Amino acid sequence: MTKTTALELLAKKREAIYALNMAAALIDWDAATTGVPEKSLEVRGNAAGWLGGESFSRFIASDTIEAIETLEGCLSELDEKEQAMVRELGTKYRKERAVPPEEMQAFESLTAQAQNIWEKARETNDFSLIEPYYEKVFDFSRRLCDWYGYEDHPYDALLDDYEKGATVKMADEFFSLLREKITPLVKMINSSEKKPREITGKFPIERQRDLTKWLCDFTRYDINRGKIGEVEHPFCTTITRNDVRITTKYHEDSLQSSLFSIIHEAGHAIYEQNIAEELDAYYLGDGASMGMHESQSRMLENMIGRSQAFAEILLPKLNGLFDGFADWDNEMLYRAINIARPSLIRIEADELTYCLHIIVRYELEKALISGEIKVKDLPGLWTEKYEELLGVRPPDYAKGVLQDVHWSAGLVGYFPSYAIGNVYAAQYMHAMKKVVDVDASIRGEDLTPVVGWLKENVHRYGELYLPDDLVRRATGEGFNPSYYVDYLEKKFTDLYK
């Protein structure tokens, strides 16, 4: 096979694979946002399984590796984008080729059904409904580690799927540092007499939808190339670059839940919308990693959405839409949206304690993969770890072990990316502030300079560079948790005096 033939073959495959993946994504979106008939779940699951299996089979066909190996043999003749494509496809192929196609198709079908069972298990507070599905998900994940291969710990194979280059050793060191620095700060805050006023009351959902429209405009999420849905567990999904959809869940008695989930998911969406279109032709039109994706959403949600400058522009909006804010000032609102205290729900956790929620999930996943614990042990161990790390005890499964969709979706190894993303976000913000007046941009309700910097230094590159290379290009150094730890210590020490 010649170089030209290899490039043409990969391009042709890309068209078919993207079409299959688009159809599967639309099935998932429909099931998540519209509420489908229960009797359709099995056939939908089978359809999703077939689409995933067909995409998988087309990719792992023998002519794919022949094309990859042909291009690997002439790397010096390829341009930067072609070299990156060969790197990414070679890694992906060798991983996926190790997985029997019938196993992958069965897993796709399993997770399509499991996500709907998870919702029912939450609603009825019945862990036994989802337990057999979790058993199958983690059994597949353990075998996946063996198929992929690993050097030190089987969980390394799963971490690398979401954060290229990440290992248990790196994660253990990182989470150990977070425990050391965050836990004392949380204790000091809990004992502080400077308790912020809380945002309480009734917030009509239609008014919250109006606020959502303003938030989308503020974050520069292009709604003309997207859509907003309402779901149990907020997410962002990409159908195409020009169809990037976000979701939220509105609670009449909780304004902050939808407010910050919209900002968070918009962070994911603008990343996808700003990837250079030309990278699609090279299979590079996705984010560099899950951690890199989380860096964009966590930066918007916390470092911008919970900043003092944002509180100043948010207060007039709240006064115009809802009752109860007439006697608030900017400082009161700033402190209210940054309340730090132990809580039960990860997606509603404050910025300071958020990573403690991730540590719980990381330690449970790692132990399940190594075989130290069983799925049936999850509810009890979940409660124990929450009491140990956060000092709270879940009253039921919905607020405990059943609060996340990830395991029913088969996303084992994903959770650490949230914490890693916080580190990247702090590094990017530190570098950005050297050339962009971020607070002035926020106060002017014009994030164009901020999003412009992110597009220029992060978004547009897609998967062209590995995560470590990407963060080095933008900040001058690799993964460095010190910026994140310093940011948290300064912010919350000042907030709580």
Side-chain angles (χ1 to χ4, degrees):
M1 184 180 293
T2 66
K3 180 184 76 172
T4 300
T5 304
L7 290 170
E8 290 175 349
L9 183 143
L10 292 177
K12 186 175 182 180
K13 278 181 178 284
R14 185 192 67 80
E15 293 178 3
I17 290 170
Y18 274 32
L20 290 165
N21 292 344
M22 188 187 306
L26 286 168
I27 288 177
D28 288 343
W29 170 269
D30 182 56
T33 61
T34 62
V36 298
E38 186 174 344
K39 290 186 178 180
S40 75
L41 293 180
E42 183 176 356
V43 69
R44 282 173 172 271
N46 291 337
W50 184 87
L51 288 166
E54 184 67 14
S55 174
F56 182 72
S57 296
R58 285 172 181 265
F59 179 70
I60 65 168
S62 58
D63 58 352
T64 303
I65 191 60
E66 184 180 355
I68 292 170
E69 289 177 343
T70 296
L71 297 173
E72 287 175 335
C74 59
L75 282 178
S76 61
E77 301 174 25
L78 305 180
D79 63 29
E80 184 182 41
K81 292 187 286 292
E82 290 169 339
Q83 289 181 9
M85 176 182 71
V86 173
R87 179 197 72 220
E88 291 298 316
L89 292 184
T91 299
K92 183 180 179 183
Y93 182 91
R94 292 180 175 96
K95 279 187 173 183
E96 296 195 352
R97 190 66 182 85
V99 183
E102 66 276 10
E103 292 268 12
M104 180 56 71
Q105 184 165 340
F107 184 65
E108 295 279 356
S109 180
L110 167 71
T111 55
Q113 296 175 53
Q115 290 174 73
N116 290 281
I117 299 300
W118 165 77
E119 289 190 6
K120 182 179 290 187
R122 282 192 66 183
E123 291 170 3
T124 59
N125 194 40
D126 188 351
F127 183 76
S128 67
L129 290 178
I130 196 65
E131 185 177 342
Y133 291 87
Y134 280 0
E135 291 278 9
K136 292 177 182 178
V137 165
F138 278 98
D139 178 60
F140 178 86
S141 297
R142 282 188 288 271
R143 285 180 286 135
L144 194 62
C145 296
D146 293 330
W147 288 325
Y148 283 175
Y150 56 89
E151 291 186 10
D152 297 321
H153 194 289
Y155 192 60
D156 287 347
L158 302 178
L159 282 176
D160 186 73
D161 248 9
Y162 299 101
E163 193 59 35
K164 299 161 192 173
T167 64
V168 165
K169 182 177 183 296
M170 182 205 85
D172 283 347
E173 291 174 356
F174 171 40
F175 287 131
S176 177
L177 174 65
L178 289 178
R179 276 178 181 262
E180 175 190 344
K181 298 293 186 179
I182 291 176
T183 305
L185 192 54
V186 171
K187 289 180 179 178
M188 285 190 288
I189 286 173
N190 284 341
S191 64
S192 172
E193 295 181 0
K194 302 288 185 180
K195 302 298 183 186
R197 180 178 178 179
E198 298 191 39
I199 298 174
T200 58
K202 293 295 182 181
F203 308 97
I205 289 176
E206 198 54 45
R207 296 288 182 87
Q208 291 191 54
R209 292 192 181 107
D210 290 338
L211 183 63
T212 289
K213 295 173 185 175
W214 174 72
L215 291 170
C216 289
D217 184 59
F218 169 74
T219 59
R220 295 301 182 262
Y221 168 56
D222 187 353
I223 193 64
N224 294 315
R225 299 164 58 208
K227 189 175 184 179
I228 302 171
E230 297 178 26
V231 294
E232 183 64 32
H233 192 295
F235 65 90
C236 170
T237 190
T238 300
I239 311 300
T240 73
R241 172 173 292 92
N242 292 315
D243 188 358
V244 185
R245 306 180 183 189
I246 64 174
T247 61
T248 191
K249 182 172 177 63
Y250 296 106
H251 302 270
E252 193 174 27
D253 59 351
S254 176
L255 173 64
Q256 295 190 71
S257 179
S258 65
L259 191 162
F260 289 108
S261 70
I262 284 291
I263 300 176
H264 180 97
E265 300 307 337
H268 285 302
I270 62 174
Y271 188 176
E272 292 287 319
Q273 289 180 334
N274 285 334
I275 294 174
E277 187 172 359
E278 64 185 37
L279 294 182
D280 275 350
Y282 300 90
Y283 294 82
L284 301 171
D286 293 316
S289 69
M290 291 297 101
M292 199 62 64
H293 239 300
E294 289 302 324
S295 75
Q296 303 308 290
S297 58
R298 304 295 290 178
M299 179 190 291
L300 254 70
E301 177 189 355
N302 292 322
M303 296 175 185
I304 291 176
R306 286 188 165 92
S307 67
Q308 198 153 19
F310 185 70
E312 292 174 16
I313 64 168
L314 178 62
L315 184 55
K317 305 297 179 185
L318 299 184
N319 264 316
L321 290 170
F322 309 105
D323 296 328
F325 289 98
D327 62 338
W328 284 67
D329 60 32
N330 295 332
E331 181 66 17
M332 290 167 61
L333 182 59
Y334 173 54
R335 297 191 71 215
I337 60 178
N338 283 290
I339 290 176
R341 63 186 172 203
S343 60
L344 292 167
I345 308 299
R346 175 186 63 84
I347 62 171
E348 297 177 5
D350 61 81
E351 185 179 11
L352 180 64
T353 62
Y354 182 85
C355 283
L356 299 180
H357 293 258
I358 300 303
I359 291 173
V360 170
R361 291 150 176 80
Y362 166 71
E363 291 181 349
L364 290 175
E365 280 192 350
K366 186 173 66 167
L368 280 164
I369 293 301
S370 65
E372 296 172 47
I373 64 172
K374 306 292 185 184
V375 166
K376 65 181 177 63
D377 302 323
L378 280 174
L381 290 173
W382 184 283
T383 298
E384 288 177 16
K385 286 187 177 294
Y386 261 78
E387 288 184 317
E388 173 198 349
L389 285 171
L390 290 141
V392 293
R393 185 181 182 88
D396 53 41
Y397 295 141
K399 291 183 175 64
V401 71
L402 291 181
Q403 66 180 268
D404 298 301
V405 71
H406 298 62
W407 291 339
S408 62
L411 303 177
V412 180
Y414 191 133
F415 282 118
S417 297
Y418 292 115
I420 291 170
N422 282 326
V423 174
Y424 287 147
Q427 285 185 246
Y428 284 137
M429 182 61 77
H430 179 78
M432 188 196 309
K433 284 187 171 181
K434 295 177 181 178
V435 294
V436 175
D437 190 336
V438 176
D439 286 344
S441 180
I442 296 170
R443 290 188 175 100
E445 297 187 34
D446 183 8
L447 280 192
T448 302
V450 171
V451 175
W453 189 93
L454 292 171
K455 180 179 180 180
E456 179 65 23
N457 291 279
V458 184
H459 299 168
R460 69 188 178 103
Y461 292 117
E463 290 184 279
L464 183 61
Y465 302 115
L466 293 171
D468 190 64
D469 293 330
L470 187 58
V471 74
R472 285 180 186 277
R473 289 173 64 90
T475 71
E477 58 184 312
F479 183 77
N480 186 347
S482 65
Y483 293 106
Y484 179 53
V485 172
D486 291 347
Y487 159 78
L488 288 178
E489 289 184 323
K490 182 180 188 310
K491 179 176 182 177
F492 286 93
T493 299
D494 290 347
L495 271 165
Y496 283 85
K497 313 302 179 188

